[in-house]
Amino acid sequence: MDRYDPDLWTDEFIFSISPARPTFRAICFYDYRSNVEAYPKWQAWMREKRPRLLVIWGKYDLSFDPGEPETLPQGCAER
């Protein structure tokens, strides 16, 4: 797949309304530790491959530091 399919949100929606949602969220939250451990590998890949990147960031998203989006272009293709 060369492009992001905008209809993929429906997959996430199905998980969000499923009776298994609490279990699914617990599994994702627990597995997030492996995601953090993989950051150096992802960052190295981004520096090497310099992919085109579209970042959509919620201004009031408390999950991330507001300064983080500014660091992303450093490892991606030129704007």
Side-chain angles (χ1 to χ4, degrees):
M1 176 193 279
D2 290 342
R3 305 206 182 267
Y4 178 79
D5 180 352
D7 293 327
L8 290 177
W9 71 269
T10 57
D11 294 343
E12 190 168 326
F13 178 72
I14 294 300
F15 281 119
S16 72
I17 63 172
S18 165
R21 183 179 64 127
T23 302
F24 175 73
R25 289 202 181 267
I27 290 168
C28 288
F29 182 73
Y30 178 77
D31 191 51
Y32 190 72
R33 63 190 168 80
S34 64
N35 188 5
V36 173
E37 292 169 359
Y39 281 3
K41 183 177 178 180
W42 278 104
Q43 291 164 342
W45 180 86
M46 290 179 72
R47 281 191 298 273
E48 177 188 341
K49 302 295 183 181
R50 301 188 57 77
R52 294 179 61 184
L53 181 65
L54 171 64
V55 177
I56 301 172
W57 212 268
K59 181 177 180 180
Y60 300 105
D61 184 347
L62 300 177
S63 299
F64 301 97
D65 181 277
E68 286 183 56
E70 297 301 319
T71 65
L72 290 171
Q74 296 172 11
C76 299
E78 296 299 320
R79 296 178 194 192

